[in-house]
Each structure stands twice: as C-alpha cells, then as structure tokens.
Amino acid sequence: AVAIMLSHNDVTGNGVKPDFPEPPWAKECLLGLVFFGSVVGMLVMGFLGDRMGVQRALVLSNALVVFGALASALLSWGPLTEIWGVIA
C-alpha cells in the first residue's frame, strides 16, 4: 500500500509526484494512536491475566493476533491477483 501511495500510475523514482501524498500530520497521529493502543492493551491484558490466569490470557492474546492477521490477509480490498501477489 505504501508503494502505491508513493507512486504515480505505479511508477516510482526520483521526481515522481505521488498520487496520494501523505499529510504531514498523519505520521504523528498514527504513531500516537499506536502507543495509546499499546498502553490500553497492556492494561487490559494485565487485568485479564489477574482474573483468568496468565496462561489463559496469553492464549487469548495469541488467538486475537492470529485472528487479526488472518482477517487482514483474507479480507483485503482489491482484485484477487493483487492479494495473492502481496501474500506470495
């Protein structure tokens, strides 16, 4: 996705103006959201570890990671050839 956003008609290189330039605020905003999500995730998983036990909380955490990765891979937008090209 980043290569497409930084290209013009799928051509990259010096002097190529991107089709979808990244706004200057986007990087800082996304970085802040990632760190906020990390803190919330640590607090929630710590609470669940105390309630359910550490091993069960780790299994739940890993199951959520696997579910998210599969959903990200299988529910992508675009033609099927592009999806398998990214996966392969």
Side-chain angles (χ1 to χ4, degrees):
V2 173
I4 293 171
M5 290 179 64
L6 297 177
S7 67
H8 177 67
N9 293 333
D10 297 331
V11 176
T12 60
N14 293 335
V16 175
K17 190 174 180 182
D19 291 333
F20 304 101
E22 180 180 313
W25 55 268
K27 188 174 185 178
E28 289 83 12
C29 183
L30 290 174
L31 189 61
L33 287 172
V34 166
F35 282 124
F36 180 74
S38 296
V39 170
V40 169
M42 285 186 267
L43 290 172
V44 169
M45 292 312 291
F47 175 76
L48 289 177
D50 290 341
R51 287 282 197 200
M52 302 169 47
V54 175
Q55 187 173 3
R56 291 174 77 188
L58 282 173
V59 169
L60 174 65
S61 176
N62 288 337
L64 289 173
V65 168
V66 169
F67 174 75
L70 288 174
S72 178
L74 298 175
L75 301 175
S76 299
W77 293 83
L80 196 57
T81 56
E82 289 182 17
I83 294 169
W84 287 110
V86 170
I87 292 173

